[in-house]
């Protein structure tokens, strides 16, 4: 029996309930014991307050003992102070308090966790301290106080004091502790069990009263009657445990004390003390024996319950566990086969016991297990482990992990103890992993991309043929080497990307570069992603890389070709505009010549012509600036250089393009209508390229209207901002429109409707617009004509 103890030093609501119970119990116990002692003019045969106080101290932490000790004093004063000498009363009170503290302190020190009645050893310690030693010391103090009060025989007085205290601790303390035991709470039992307990306790009470009733308590006269309750006391010890036994003994003691008290008036004090002594001695001897028997039987029942519980848990654990425990004889025959193994192999257990492990093991696996078993029998090893196979009833094999040890007895080895674990799924997973690894290696080796796998230490586990060709520094094997050692240059961002990939991050770069040892710069794109576990080790990284140096050079060459074609296109456009441009330049030059000749004439007139010369010179400057502006615009358009992105006012760029095409517009009798948004945002782009696009669309529109039978030649140019924050330009004419047969191929290279056209104008225009992140398309106009739409983002991407 174990009693749970509270180790907290703070007071809780449960402490208030304990104190209330203590006050009630201690008051009743003191009233019954003290009143009975006074009426019989002899010491109480069972001093119940000792048991109540001792239990209170055992069930509470020492830091709270002071409360129970202080409460005991006023209870005793309230009940016993008026009946005796105050000094003697206080001396007896101090004796009882010291006795309880000493017994509780000794018991808690020897067994701090409780369980003072849980085993024969614990009960022996409890009896030696609480029943014998401490009451014996207290009896010396009590008998000494009584002897000092009035001389009397010391040892009979000591014996009466000792037996009253000892009997209370023997009978009542186990009863109280058993009811306070949380591991065995009170509960409604089946009615048969309840009836049994009630019958045993009632029989003890009745038969005890019968046995102790009569004209006295002389042992020779009473002994035959004492056999009446003894079978029921023995029954309680065997069936009801410590709680039932202590309850039965307490009822027997109560009936005996009642019987002695009933006839106390017929005895002299000496005879009464002799009867009480006989009763106490009987209860002490019988009670200690029966309680010891109850403790022994209860411990045995507890061990059996624990054993059954342990066996049940082991059975459940074995059923749920992956480990199967097998006993095999020294010759290989199965002695014990678990159900799980028999189900796994498809054999009944009885059939497997008639077999040996050698019969159920493939021949190629028998030799290794036999060799290790012989070493085990020879004492060379304590145990061994290996992976083996067993044959199923259908002929298939099952992979198992075997751990074998040897069970030895006094006369030598007894049998083998095998622990088997089914690893078939692991084996299948390993085979699939090897297959996937081989497939991955085959794929990587023949992949057109450069692929490599690195472990957690950034060493190569695998590298494809393309990777070795593009990045490896020498002809030494690359597997097992670190990337810094094996590669002939790599981007500076790789080390940090590898480190982050081990933390689960993926990184990629579409355009990167590195320099080889010979100074060559290589361009590449790459991606580094976290990898799965590499050959059973920690997770590594997958590296995908592709050299883009050749593609980069091709892109640069293509870009250069595009610029040359655009320049050629601008020259072609100017060739078409050459007549108009010559007329555009001839006008200011002719005006300059006429003004210069007029100035010469006015100068010859002397002072009167000076005023006219000044006006003529201003006209000459104006005509010169006009010619200079035409030449500057032509030079800008014909400029051949790198693309230069800057902020551009698209409305202003449209006006410049119209100024360049002004002569062509006039000669072809085209009227221009502008609807330019006043709050049009600036865009970012190359001025020359966008001006070339606009000029090309304007010239194409003018030529389309001049070449057809157009009654009305109107060119409409409109700008506005779309909802997606893009700038929209529309160039619309009233010409014959685009032939439906070529409408879908309008932007294809070398497609032209002009007699001497190259067929590259619209193709180059669309490529220039796309390079600015925009779109260029054609839309027919209802009633005739064509409209070309250009949409450009506000921040075009630089080439």
């Amino acid at each position: 029996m174990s009693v749970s103890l509270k180790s907290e030093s703070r007071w809780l609501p449960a402490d208030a309930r304990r104190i209330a119970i203590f006050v009630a119990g201690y008051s009743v116990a003191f009233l019954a014991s003290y009143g009975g002692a006074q009426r019989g003019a002899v010491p109480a045969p069972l001093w119940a307050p000792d048991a109540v106080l001792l239990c209170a101290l055992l069930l509470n932490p020492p830091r709270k003992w002071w409360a129970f000790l202080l409460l005991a004093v006023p209870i005793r004063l309230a009940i016993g102070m008026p009946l005796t000498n105050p000094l003697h009363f206080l001396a007896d009170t101090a004796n009882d308090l010291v006795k309880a503290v000493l017994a509780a302190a000794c018991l808690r020190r020897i067994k701090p966790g409780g369980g003072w009645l849980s085993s024969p050893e614990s009960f022996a310690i409890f009896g030696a301290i609480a029943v014998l030693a401490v009451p014996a010391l207290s009896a010396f103090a009590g008998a000494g106080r009584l002897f000092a009060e009035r001389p009397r025989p010391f040892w009979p007085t000591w014996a009466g004091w000792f037996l009253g205290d000892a009997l209370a601790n023997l009978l009542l303390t186990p009863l109280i502790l058993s009811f306070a035991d949380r591991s065995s709470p009170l509960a409604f039992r089946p009615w048969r069990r309840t009836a049994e307990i009630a019958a045993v306790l009632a029989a003890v009470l009745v038969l005890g009263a019968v046995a102790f009733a009569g004209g006295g308590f002389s042992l020779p006269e009473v002994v035959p009657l004492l056999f009446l309750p003894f079978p029921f006391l023995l029954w309680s010890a065997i069936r009801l445990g410590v709680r039932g036994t202590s309850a039965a003994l307490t009822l027997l003691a109560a009936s005996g004390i009642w019987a002695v008290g009933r006839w106390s008036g017929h005895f002299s004090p000496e005879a009464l003390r002799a009867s009480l002594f006989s009763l106490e001695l009987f209860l002490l001897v019988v009670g200690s024996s029966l309680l010891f028997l109850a403790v022994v039987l209860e411990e045995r029942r507890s061990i059996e319950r624990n054993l059954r519980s342990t066996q049940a848990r082991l059975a459940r654990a074995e059923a749920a566990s992956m480990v199967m425990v097998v006993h095999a004889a020294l010759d290989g025959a199965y002695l014990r086969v678990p159900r799980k193994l028999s189900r796994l192999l498809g054999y009944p257990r009885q059939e497997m016991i008639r077999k040996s492990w050698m019969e159920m093991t493939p021949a190629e696996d028998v030799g290794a297990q036999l060799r290790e078993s012989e070493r085990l029998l020879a004492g060379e090893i304590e145990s061994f482990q290996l992976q083996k196979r067993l044959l199923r009833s259908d002929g298939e094999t099952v992979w198992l992990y075997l751990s074998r040890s040897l069970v030895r007895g006094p006369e030598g080895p007894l049998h083998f103890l095998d622990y088997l674990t089914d690893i078939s799924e692991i084996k299948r997973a390993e085979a699939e992993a090897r297959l996937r690894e081989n497939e991955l290696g085959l794929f990587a080796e023949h992949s057109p991309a450069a692929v490599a796998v690195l472990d957690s230490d950034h060493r190569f586990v695998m590298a494809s043929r393309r990777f070795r060709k593009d990045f490896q520094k020498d002809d030494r094997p690359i597997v097992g080497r670190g990337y810094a050692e094996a590669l002939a240059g790599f981007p500076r961002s790789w080390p940090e990307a590898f480190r982050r990939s081990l933390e689960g991050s993926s990184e990629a770069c579409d355009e990167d570069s590195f320099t080889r040892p010979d100074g060559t710069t290589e361009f590449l794109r790459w991606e580094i992603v976290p990898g799965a576990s590499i050959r059973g080790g920690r997770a590594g990284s997958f590296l995908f890389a592709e050299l883009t140096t050749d593609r980069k050079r091709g892109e640069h060459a293509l870009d250069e070709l595009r610029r040359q074609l655009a320049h050629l296109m601008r020259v072609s456009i100017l060739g078409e505009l050459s007549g108009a441009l010559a007329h555009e330049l001839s006008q200011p030059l002719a005006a300059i010549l006429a003004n210069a000749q007029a100035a010469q004439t006015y100068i010859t007139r002397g002072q009167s012509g000076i005023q006219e010369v000044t006006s003529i010179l201003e006209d000459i400057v104006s005509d010169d600036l006009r010619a200079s502006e035409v030449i500057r615009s032509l030079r800008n358009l014909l400029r051949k250089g790198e693309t230069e992105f800057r902020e551009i006012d698209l409305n202003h760029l449209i006006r410049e393009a119209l100024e360049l095409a002004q002569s062509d517009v006039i000669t072809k009798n085209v009227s221009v209508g502008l609807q330019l948004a006043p709050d049009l945002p600036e865009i970012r782009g190359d001025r020359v390229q966008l001006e070339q696009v606009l000029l090309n669309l304007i010239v194409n529109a003018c030529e389309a209207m001049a070449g057809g039978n157009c009654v009305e030649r109107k060119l409409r140019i409109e700008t506005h901002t779309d909802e997606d924050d893009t700038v929209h330009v529309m160039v619309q004419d009233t010409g014959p429109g685009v032939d439906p047969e070529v409408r879908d191929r309008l932007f294809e290279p070398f497609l032209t409707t002009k007699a001497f056209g190259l067929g590259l104008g619209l193709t180059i225009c669309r490529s220039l617009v796309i390079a600015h992140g925009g779109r260029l398309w054609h839309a027919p106009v209802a009633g005739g004509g064509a409209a070309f739409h250009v949409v450009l983002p506000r921040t075009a991407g630089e080439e």
Side-chain angles (χ1 to χ4, degrees), residues 21-73:
I21 294 172
F22 168 76
V23 170
Y26 193 82
S27 300
V28 173
F30 188 79
L31 182 61
S33 300
Y34 191 72
Q38 292 299 320
R39 286 193 299 272
V42 293
L46 191 146
W47 190 245
D50 280 0
V52 176
L53 182 58
L54 176 60
C55 290
L57 299 184
L58 290 176
L59 295 173
N60 290 276
R63 293 185 179 182
K64 297 178 181 180
W65 284 2
W66 61 270
F68 299 97
L69 296 174
L70 288 180
L71 286 171
V73 175

Side-chain angles (χ1 to χ4, degrees), residues 566-605:
H567 181 260
L568 176 62
M569 196 64 208
R570 291 195 293 272
V571 173
S572 175
I573 293 173
L574 291 178
E576 296 177 7
L577 298 176
S578 58
L581 290 173
H583 175 72
E584 186 75 16
L585 288 174
S586 66
Q587 286 183 347
L589 291 177
I592 290 171
L593 178 60
N595 284 325
Q597 291 173 346
Q600 290 176 344
T601 304
Y602 281 111
I603 288 174
T604 59
R605 295 180 182 179

Side-chain angles (χ1 to χ4, degrees), residues 639 641-648 684-689 772 798:
R639 177 173 57 88
E642 296 295 328
T643 304
E644 182 179 358
F645 279 73
R646 61 178 61 185
E647 301 298 328
I648 298 174
R684 183 171 177 79
D686 184 83
R687 187 182 191 87
V688 173
Q689 292 183 358
H772 282 73
E798 292 192 23

